[in-house]
Amino acid sequence: MGMSVTISAATADDAEQILKLQYLCYQAEAELYGDYSIEPLTQSLDDLRAELSEGCVLVARLGAEVVGSVRGVVDDKGTAAIAKLIVHPRMQRHGLGGRLLAAIEERLSGERAAKRYRLFTGHRSEGNLRLYRRYGYAQVGTEEVNRRLSLVTLEKDATATAYAASA
C-alpha cells in the first residue's frame, strides 16, 4: 500500500526542500519563456525563510519528502495574493495542485479573513490557466512584462465555490 500525500503548514525546516522543489518546477516555465532569470529561480534561501515567517506557506508531503507547496498573503483590504503553487513533476496531473490551491484558499479565508483571491501566471502557461479556471478564477487583466512574457491576473471571490464542476 502506498503512502498518501498530506498537506500542512510549512516550517522553517522545510525551506531548503521547498527551494529545491521550486527550482525544479520552474525550469519548465523558464524554458517556455526563454528566461532563466525569473524570480523563482533566483530567490535566495534567506528570502524564502522570510516568506515562511511572514506569510502562509503550505507544503504537500509524501512521507518526509516535500512534493508540493503554495504561498499566500492577505493585504489590509482582504485580498489574498496566492503565489508559487508548485508540484513535483512526477506528482503532477493527479489533483495535487488543486488540493494545494483549495487548502491555501481555506487557510487564507479562515485564518486571515481573505475576501478575494488573486494570482497570476504567464500567458503561455496553459496548464496553470486551465487549473485556475477550473477552480473558479476569472481573468481580470494582462500585463506585458517583455516581448516574450505577459502576466495574466486571475481573481475570484472568497465566497465562490472551490471547484467548478465542469472543466
Side-chain angles (χ1 to χ4, degrees):
M1 178 180 269
M3 290 185 282
S4 62
V5 174
T6 60
I7 297 174
S8 61
T11 68
D13 293 339
D14 295 322
E16 286 187 42
Q17 280 194 72
I18 294 170
L19 193 62
K20 286 177 184 175
L21 180 61
Q22 176 176 303
Y23 188 81
L24 173 67
C25 291
Y26 275 92
Q27 293 298 315
E29 290 293 301
E31 183 177 345
L32 185 61
Y33 296 100
D35 184 357
Y36 288 84
S37 66
I38 58 177
E39 190 270 342
L41 296 180
T42 60
Q43 184 176 30
S44 72
L45 186 56
D46 287 340
D47 287 343
L48 176 56
R49 284 186 175 126
E51 284 185 27
L52 281 167
S53 67
E54 296 167 5
C56 180
V57 182
L58 300 180
V59 291
R61 294 180 208 285
L62 183 62
E65 180 187 7
V66 172
V67 294
S69 182
V70 64
R71 302 173 211 175
V73 295
V74 180
D75 67 17
D76 57 357
K77 295 179 181 168
T79 300
I82 297 173
K84 295 187 178 99
L85 174 60
I86 54 175
V87 174
H88 193 288
R90 78 173 191 277
M91 303 292 293
Q92 291 176 0
R93 309 207 55 77
H94 297 285
L96 186 52
R99 285 181 58 201
L100 280 163
L101 186 57
I104 195 81
E105 288 174 358
E106 184 178 328
R107 184 77 53 105
L108 293 171
S109 64
E111 295 177 6
R112 301 182 185 217
K115 296 179 175 101
R116 169 168 231 63
Y117 307 116
R118 177 179 297 145
L119 46 76
F120 63 88
T121 192
H123 70 286
R124 293 184 197 155
S125 301
E126 289 300 324
N128 295 348
L129 289 165
R130 270 193 309 275
L131 172 71
Y132 301 146
R133 288 180 180 129
R134 189 167 51 242
Y135 279 81
Y137 286 82
Q139 182 173 335
V140 295
T142 303
E143 175 189 350
E144 184 176 322
V145 175
N146 56 46
R147 287 188 343 225
R148 294 177 301 229
L149 171 65
S150 293
L151 288 178
V152 178
T153 302
L154 299 105
E155 291 185 355
K156 82 172 186 181
D157 191 77
T159 59
T161 57
Y163 181 73
S166 60

